[in-house]
Amino acid sequence: MDDLLKPVKTVTIRKISEVEPVSVSENAIPKIQITSPDGALQLLKGKPDSNELRRILEYIIKTRNNDVVFNIKIPEPKAAQIIHLLVNDIAPSYWSTFHKESLPKGNFDKELPLKNLLVNSLAGLPGIGSIVARLKLLSSESKQNTKSPSTVHFEVIEETLDVLQAVLEQYAFSDDIRRGFSYYGQDKTKRTLFWKETITLLASGKIVAVAAQAEDLVKGSNIPHSSRWIANGAQYCSWLGRQIWPTVVNIQAGEPWSTPEAVKASAQFLGKSLGIGYPYDLIQEMLRLLHEGKAEDLKSLGSVLEAMRLHEQRQFLDVTVLSLVKGLSLESSMSKLETQVASLISGGAALLTNVVMENENMCDHLVQRLIQSGPTLYDESMTSIRIMLAVIAENEERLQEVMEKSMKRFGDLSYIKHTPILPQESLAQVLLISAGYVHRKQPMFLFTIARSSKNSTGISNRLAASSSRARFLGMIVGSTISELVDKPGNKLNFGVEELETDDAKWWKDLVKLEDVVGDGSQLRDFLSFKFPGGPNRSPSNGAVATRRDVATIAKARMKPAKPESAPASSSKIMVVEEDDDDDLVPYAKPDSDPDDDDEDPELVNRDKPTVPVYIRDLISWIKDTEKHDRHILALRTAPSLIRRKANFGKEVTDHVVELANLFVGLGDHFDIDDFAQLRLQSLVAVLVAQPKEMGRWFAKAFFEGDYSISQRTAVLSIMGLGARELAGLENGSDLTGAVKEMNAAFPSKQLPEKFHKLYGGGNDALDVESKKLERGMMEPLALKAADKLSGPNALKVRTFSSRMDVEKKRKKPVSNEFSKIVADSFFFPLTGRFQVTLQAYGGKSPQSSPHLLPLYIRTLTLILHAAGLSNPSLPSMTAEFFDLLLGLRGRALQDDNVLEALLFGLLTTLNLNAGEDAVADGGRRLCTEMGREMLEMQGWVEGVFERVDGATRNVGLQGQTAKETEGGRVAMLAAGVLTRIGEIVSKFQRLLVGDIVPF
């Protein structure tokens, strides 16, 4: 029987169970003479002990700086054999025992720990490549053996990840590359191969991909594991930036490394590194190192950028501008701090000038960035515009080009009609600030362009726009330029109150801004302002701390200091006389405490937390995930405390952003049943406390924050429900009512409670409110249709109510303060950023996913409905929302949820503008300004209704009616949209025919 089962191959990993502490005394370790790499190779093949291994590694480190004898960092056959043995045999056998090795005493430089010797021996390009190859092989073997995974195999993967991270932390890229170039000398072919291998291994993302795959496999096992920065793309790119910067800085005149070939090689490496996917982290780390170094280092960076490819130069410039302005809270208004702000902007312009230098390609791209796309970060757009224009202002020809092209684009009809408001505002800022520069440097050119047809036609197109904000921007630009070039009696004056507000004065003062490119001291001040915390700690120094580490540190800080020992007191004999205590009344027994019923007195908790009364205490308690009682109490108290403190003092105002950051990224550490509801209530309270600022913040967090799908869903729910509460609609200040209503569904239609928490999406409060609104819009249409089918009006009996009954049912008017801020703080930030995201990523962005897109459309719909019928920004919001819905028709045909949300948004828009309660000229405005779009949408909805209604007629299965099915709801909404559009078309048919048929 034993002959039938023969092993094909047997692999044994030699493990050293115990290693006694090795003394580093010179007399204790016998001297082993190793004089050649062949001798070291033979000893490695013979499975050396710790003493022999120490001498081998010391020989390798000693000779790696001698390129003539032997250098393990140079890719050669002998070095490859030694590295293969170190990685595949020595490291697996010894790595798990290194934590038992005693640290050397005395002269640390003379005798290094064995672990440090091994890591330093592998800290080179061949060593890193061999470790990555072994890790990739182990991962592939683990995937193939998914049926019978071995714990030992996962432990080997875990150890290999540790080895790789330790080697990369000790790796010096600059020294290694310079040594490789000098070693190959005049052999250009070998230098090229050496450099290509370096780029492929380090700058292509290969290490991150292999490490992330291996870490995922380890996480799926049952062995203990920890997160590593080598598997995180952002942190790896930060490490790569620290490796690239010394190489770039060393490219200076008079050094051997400053050859054109070396400059080109550095440019290739930097350009390839930008393609990993985290260019912001890479460049941010380089700027941080610039803060630690000298301002002259930028000259070396400019020479490297000139050698990069054109698209890589443009990408580097875009990300550099983003890095300069992201995170800066500079005020764009003319305040007392304007001098300080101008100094910081001058420092940022000095840095950008050194990056651009005399590079024509980057200068042209800077002009195009200002004119065409504009800054994508609208919250920091003013800062980026001022920095870029300060750089452009040094060249008068390019400054004229910016103003002329921005004026042409500002007055273009298609741009006015189809571009969101936020990019139009950014372009208006570019136009006004550049006009101020031109007026000071070349006033005749500004006079000429102000009299040109571009200006007059553009202002006319702006005044004829349907959006009130677009008209406002046109009047601001026209009147401001006229004040610069015209005499007092000929200045353009529109005579409207909008131009007398504080907002209009702020826009007009933009032409007074004059920023200059700063010097070295201002550059240093700018970097100090941007990086106030000093040098960033690298992952090798422990900057990447896990949540467990943070909790441990916090817990250690909270431990009270040990009191000093009190001096021993001398013992004395005291005589106590007994008195009669008959007159004393004894205390009553305390009330029973439920905690005292516990049999074990150690489990009784006497340290019960009290309700927090300050916002700073609330924040610290929610962050404390170690104490269950404090965390739960703070979470349940947060909504009421934030609302109570919103209009009392400045506690909420000072910590509002910190509160929003804390609650949006908060996790359910204790499996609380109503955690999502409590977090939603707290965030709605934060939004209601500061709606103008936090509306923009939540819109930015939804598109740019590093959040999961569920967290982005919560952000949309916050904005929709917060908008309804600010408008005075029934939402519920108590959001639990909405949730309980959905939980009242029939039990057979719900998942088990355990899975309903994970996958049940029907209990979303935003979905409940949208369903209520949908039902409220469809019921009048259904009643009206039923009334038409019941017979002629002459045969119907009409019941008249008394005046008193009518007055009782009539709702009292409520002042809608939300309509004043809805456009700028809620609606336009959401629509504008969505358009930018679509242009950048297409349909691959998270915001365009089937999970978020329907909720995004419903959120915009609820915000539009909450703005009210008398909202002054309703025409512009309607036009922008209508364009967005037209652009999503293709996605709607692919997903029924998107289709239902789109029809719901369209029906709400039509009801607000042309419903029974709408203003009298709402339907006329729709036909006049968006006649073609109305008819185009009508034809598309008819096709949708025919397709969905035909499929719904065959449903009647299992007792379901067509209305109860998903297709039935879509058909019902499509019928409602067609009914509304039909009413508008029949009423204003002549206007539509006049708009379509040219005469």
Side-chain angles (χ1 to χ4, degrees):
M1 186 66 183
D2 296 336
D3 297 336
L4 298 177
L5 301 174
K6 293 183 179 181
V8 179
K9 183 181 180 181
T10 302
V11 179
T12 303
I13 298 176
R14 180 171 174 264
K15 285 280 185 178
I16 298 177
S17 58
E18 293 183 0
V19 175
E20 297 181 357
V22 181
S23 176
V24 296
S25 174
E26 293 287 338
N27 300 325
I29 301 177
K31 293 294 183 178
I32 301 174
Q33 298 296 332
I34 302 175
T35 58
S36 66
D38 293 330
L41 182 60
Q42 292 300 324
L43 282 176
L44 287 174
K45 289 181 178 180
K47 294 181 175 55
D49 57 15
S50 58
N51 294 334
E52 294 173 344
L53 180 59
R54 176 178 294 276
R55 296 309 171 195
I56 295 171
L57 298 178
E58 288 177 350
Y59 169 77
I60 292 174
I61 295 175
K62 180 179 179 181
T63 59
R64 67 182 180 181
N65 295 326
N66 190 352
D67 299 337
V68 179
V69 180
F70 174 70
N71 190 349
I72 197 172
K73 291 189 176 183
I74 302 300
E76 289 186 345
K78 194 70 65 177
Q81 295 179 34
I82 295 177
I83 290 173
H84 177 78
L85 290 174
L86 290 176
V87 172
N88 295 275
D89 190 12
I90 301 300
S93 300
Y94 280 87
W95 192 263
S96 61
T97 66
F98 282 149
H99 68 281
K100 300 179 182 179
E101 184 184 43
S102 61
L103 295 178
K105 299 179 181 179
N107 191 351
F108 183 81
D109 296 332
K110 189 174 182 179
E111 292 289 349
L112 291 174
L114 196 58
K115 178 180 179 180
N116 287 10
L117 292 174
L118 178 59
V119 169
N120 290 332
S121 300
L122 295 175
L125 189 64
I128 296 173
S130 180
I131 299 173
V132 173
R134 172 175 170 78
L135 189 60
K136 187 175 182 181
L137 179 61
L138 292 173
S139 301
S140 61
E141 290 178 355
S142 178
K143 285 185 175 181
Q144 294 174 2
N145 300 328
T146 53
K147 295 183 179 180
S148 58
S150 174
T151 304
V152 177
H153 193 78
F154 288 122
E155 290 177 354
V156 174
I157 295 178
E158 177 82 4
E159 289 180 358
T160 309
L161 284 170
D162 286 338
V163 174
L164 179 58
Q165 178 164 301
V167 169
L168 287 177
E169 289 172 355
Q170 296 295 328
Y171 180 60
F173 172 78
S174 178
D175 297 338
D176 201 9
I177 297 307
R178 295 175 67 181
R179 184 178 295 110
F181 264 71
S182 61
Y183 174 79
Y184 289 113
Q186 301 299 324
D187 196 341
K188 186 176 181 181
T189 303
K190 289 187 177 181
R191 287 202 310 269
T192 303
L193 293 176
F194 171 75
W195 190 247
K196 285 184 178 180
E197 183 180 355
T198 303
I199 294 177
T200 304
L201 180 61
L202 297 178
S204 62
K206 182 178 180 180
I207 294 178
V208 179
V210 174
Q213 183 182 15
E215 191 174 80
D216 289 340
L217 292 174
V218 174
K219 287 180 179 179
S221 63
N222 296 325
I223 67 172
H225 62 275
S226 59
S227 300
R228 296 172 178 82
W229 62 266
I230 57 173
N232 186 295
Q235 296 175 8
Y236 178 79
C237 284
S238 297
W239 172 84
L240 208 57
R242 288 189 294 275
Q243 299 297 326
I244 295 173
W245 185 250
T247 307
V248 172
V249 170
N250 288 330
I251 301 179
Q252 298 176 358
E255 292 195 5
W257 178 245
S258 61
T259 60
E261 184 182 358
V263 174
K264 184 178 179 181
S266 301
Q268 291 176 355
F269 191 91
L270 180 57
K272 191 71 174 179
S273 302
L274 294 174
I276 295 179
Y278 301 90
Y280 173 78
D281 300 276
L282 176 70
I283 296 177
Q284 186 81 351
E285 193 63 31
M286 296 175 68
L287 294 180
R288 194 184 304 274
L289 293 175
L290 174 65
H291 174 43
E292 302 174 15
K294 301 177 181 179
E296 291 77 9
D297 296 340
L298 283 172
K299 297 180 180 179
S300 302
L301 177 61
S303 60
V304 174
L305 294 177
E306 289 182 356
M308 293 171 62
R309 290 179 286 187
L310 296 182
H311 72 278
E312 294 172 349
Q313 294 180 11
R314 299 189 188 107
Q315 183 184 9
F316 189 92
L317 178 61
D318 291 339
V319 180
T320 301
V321 175
L322 175 64
S323 301
L324 291 179
V325 300
K326 193 170 185 179
L328 292 180
S329 302
L330 301 182
E331 294 292 335
S332 56
S333 60
M334 308 301 166
S335 61
K336 297 179 180 179
L337 299 177
E338 179 59 30
T339 304
Q340 181 183 359
V341 172
S343 177
L344 292 174
I345 289 178
S346 298
L351 194 152
L352 190 61
T353 301
N354 284 278
V355 171
V356 175
M357 295 180 66
E358 301 298 330
N359 193 324
E360 295 293 330
N361 175 59
M362 299 183 76
C363 291
D364 292 339
H365 182 65
L366 200 61
V367 172
Q368 295 300 321
R369 180 181 173 86
L370 283 167
I371 297 171
Q372 291 183 357
S373 60
T376 57
L377 289 176
Y378 298 115
D379 293 335
E380 295 89 1
S381 63
M382 189 63 187
T383 306
S384 61
I385 286 173
R386 292 179 64 175
I387 290 176
M388 288 188 286
L389 281 176
V391 176
I392 293 294
E394 299 292 321
N395 191 326
E396 295 183 358
E397 294 182 0
R398 295 191 185 279
L399 184 61
Q400 294 176 8
E401 181 183 1
V402 168
M403 182 180 177
E404 189 173 359
K405 290 184 177 181
S406 60
M407 180 174 288
K408 181 180 179 181
R409 188 175 180 83
F410 182 76
D412 184 67
L413 276 175
S414 300
Y415 181 82
I416 297 172
K417 191 173 184 180
H418 299 292
T419 306
I421 293 298
L422 290 179
Q424 294 189 39
E425 291 181 349
S426 296
L427 186 62
Q429 293 172 4
V430 172
L431 180 56
L432 291 174
I433 298 176
S434 60
Y437 280 107
V438 172
H439 176 66
R440 288 185 291 270
K441 293 187 176 183
Q442 292 182 332
M444 194 61 195
F445 177 80
L446 180 63
F447 180 82
T448 304
I449 200 172
R451 294 288 187 267
S452 64
S453 59
K454 293 179 183 179
N455 186 32
S456 58
T457 305
I459 299 302
S460 300
N461 293 338
R462 284 277 168 179
L463 295 178
S466 58
S467 172
S468 59
R469 190 64 176 177
R471 294 194 298 269
F472 171 77
L473 293 177
M475 290 187 290
I476 284 291
V477 171
S479 60
T480 304
I481 294 179
S482 177
E483 290 179 359
L484 293 177
V485 299
D486 292 334
K487 297 180 179 180
N490 299 329
K491 291 182 179 180
L492 187 62
N493 186 10
F494 292 96
V496 294
E497 296 181 357
E498 296 178 6
L499 298 183
E500 302 299 329
T501 60
D502 295 336
D503 186 28
K505 293 179 181 178
W506 180 86
W507 281 92
K508 291 181 179 180
D509 288 340
L510 291 180
V511 295
K512 301 178 182 178
L513 292 176
E514 185 178 6
D515 299 307
V516 296
V517 177
D519 52 13
S521 61
Q522 290 177 324
L523 173 59
R524 182 68 60 185
D525 293 341
F526 174 81
L527 293 174
S528 300
F529 182 83
K530 185 168 178 59
F531 306 109
N536 187 26
R537 296 177 63 191
S538 62
S540 60
N541 294 332
V544 185
T546 60
R547 183 178 298 174
R548 186 183 303 172
D549 300 331
V550 176
T552 305
I553 296 171
K555 190 174 182 180
R557 290 179 178 176
M558 293 174 63
K559 290 182 179 179
K562 294 183 179 180
E564 298 180 359
S565 58
S569 58
S570 59
S571 60
K572 297 181 179 180
I573 299 176
M574 303 290 294
V575 178
V576 180
E577 297 180 358
E578 296 183 358
D579 298 332
D580 294 335
D581 297 335
D582 298 337
D583 298 336
L584 299 178
V585 180
Y587 287 106
K589 294 182 178 180
D591 296 334
S592 61
D593 193 346
D595 292 337
D596 293 336
D597 297 337
D598 203 312
E599 295 180 359
D600 189 356
E602 294 183 356
L603 299 179
V604 177
N605 181 18
R606 296 298 183 185
D607 186 16
K608 294 182 180 179
T610 57
V611 177
V613 295
Y614 297 106
I615 296 297
R616 63 177 183 271
D617 295 337
L618 176 69
I619 294 174
S620 63
W621 284 26
I622 292 178
K623 289 181 179 179
D624 186 6
T625 57
E626 298 295 325
K627 295 186 178 180
H628 174 270
D629 296 338
R630 292 181 60 179
H631 186 80
I632 299 296
L633 182 60
L635 195 59
R636 297 189 182 280
T637 312
S640 59
L641 180 62
I642 295 172
R643 291 179 183 273
R644 189 169 66 250
K645 294 277 188 175
N647 298 320
F648 180 78
K650 297 180 62 178
E651 279 189 271
V652 175
T653 305
D654 295 339
H655 299 88
V656 64
V657 176
E658 187 178 0
L659 285 169
N661 268 316
L662 178 62
F663 282 110
V664 172
L666 187 64
D668 189 4
H669 301 282
F670 300 105
D671 294 331
I672 308 171
D673 294 335
D674 53 349
F675 170 78
Q677 180 181 334
L678 292 173
R679 184 178 68 169
L680 184 65
Q681 292 178 356
S682 302
L683 285 170
V684 169
V686 171
L687 178 62
V688 173
Q690 296 289 329
K692 189 173 182 180
E693 294 79 11
M694 297 312 297
R696 292 175 176 265
W697 188 93
F698 280 116
K700 180 182 178 182
F702 175 71
F703 287 98
E704 298 181 8
D706 188 12
Y707 298 120
S708 63
I709 295 293
S710 61
Q711 290 170 337
R712 295 179 194 270
T713 302
V715 170
L716 289 177
S717 302
I718 293 155
M719 297 195 71
L721 297 174
R724 290 179 59 82
E725 182 174 342
L726 288 168
L729 301 177
E730 291 181 0
N731 200 18
S733 49
D734 181 13
L735 299 175
T736 58
V739 179
K740 290 179 181 178
E741 178 183 345
M742 296 302 297
N743 287 336
F746 196 73
S748 63
K749 295 183 180 181
Q750 281 191 355
L751 294 169
E753 183 179 359
K754 178 180 179 181
F755 297 101
H756 185 74
K757 293 180 180 180
L758 297 175
Y759 306 107
N763 58 352
D764 182 69
L766 185 69
D767 188 60
V768 173
E769 296 300 330
S770 61
K771 289 292 191 297
K772 288 182 181 179
L773 180 58
E774 179 182 320
R775 191 162 52 247
M777 291 187 297
M778 292 304 302
E779 285 180 356
L781 293 177
L783 293 175
K784 188 175 181 180
D787 184 64
K788 288 184 178 180
L789 295 175
S790 62
N793 293 333
L795 301 179
K796 298 176 184 177
V797 178
R798 183 178 179 185
T799 303
F800 293 93
S801 301
S802 64
R803 183 176 180 182
M804 298 296 294
D805 294 336
V806 173
E807 291 295 333
K808 288 180 180 180
K809 295 180 180 180
R810 180 176 296 174
K811 295 182 180 180
K812 296 182 180 180
V814 180
S815 176
N816 190 357
E817 298 293 333
F818 177 65
S819 60
K820 299 178 181 179
I821 62 173
V822 59
D824 295 334
S825 299
F826 283 77
F827 195 83
F828 290 146
L830 283 174
T831 56
R833 290 180 183 274
F834 185 77
Q835 296 287 354
V836 173
T837 304
L838 282 183
Q839 293 176 4
Y841 304 104
K844 298 181 180 179
S845 63
Q847 292 77 15
S848 302
S849 63
H851 304 284
L852 289 179
L853 187 57
L855 190 62
Y856 169 76
I857 299 174
R858 289 185 181 276
T859 301
L860 287 176
T861 305
L862 290 180
I863 293 175
L864 186 66
H865 177 264
L869 303 173
S870 58
N871 177 23
S873 303
L874 181 62
S876 57
M877 294 167 63
T878 300
E880 189 153 337
F881 193 39
F882 217 88
D883 287 342
L884 187 144
L885 295 179
L886 284 172
L888 294 175
R889 288 177 295 175
R891 295 294 304 276
L893 294 178
Q894 300 173 4
D895 191 284
D896 290 339
N897 292 327
V898 180
L899 179 60
E900 183 180 355
L902 189 147
L903 293 174
F904 170 62
L906 188 59
L907 181 60
T908 305
T909 305
L910 294 174
N911 276 347
L912 285 174
N913 288 273
E916 285 80 1
D917 299 331
V919 293
D921 59 342
R924 177 182 292 274
R925 188 183 68 251
L926 288 178
C927 294
T928 304
E929 299 174 356
M930 296 185 295
R932 296 179 182 272
E933 291 83 353
M934 285 271 296
L935 296 179
E936 184 179 352
M937 185 64 80
Q938 183 184 24
W940 180 77
V941 176
E942 287 177 354
V944 170
F945 179 76
E946 293 175 359
R947 179 176 63 85
V948 178
D949 187 57
T952 307
R953 293 179 186 275
N954 303 323
V955 171
L957 300 175
Q958 301 178 358
Q960 286 185 337
T961 62
K963 184 178 179 180
E964 294 175 348
T965 61
E966 187 173 355
R969 293 195 302 270
V970 173
M972 180 179 63
L973 287 172
V977 172
L978 290 176
T979 302
R980 283 298 183 203
I981 294 180
E983 293 175 354
I984 298 172
V985 169
S986 60
K987 188 174 182 180
F988 302 100
Q989 190 171 5
R990 291 187 177 182
L991 287 175
L992 290 172
V993 172
D995 183 51
I996 295 173
V997 180
F999 294 98

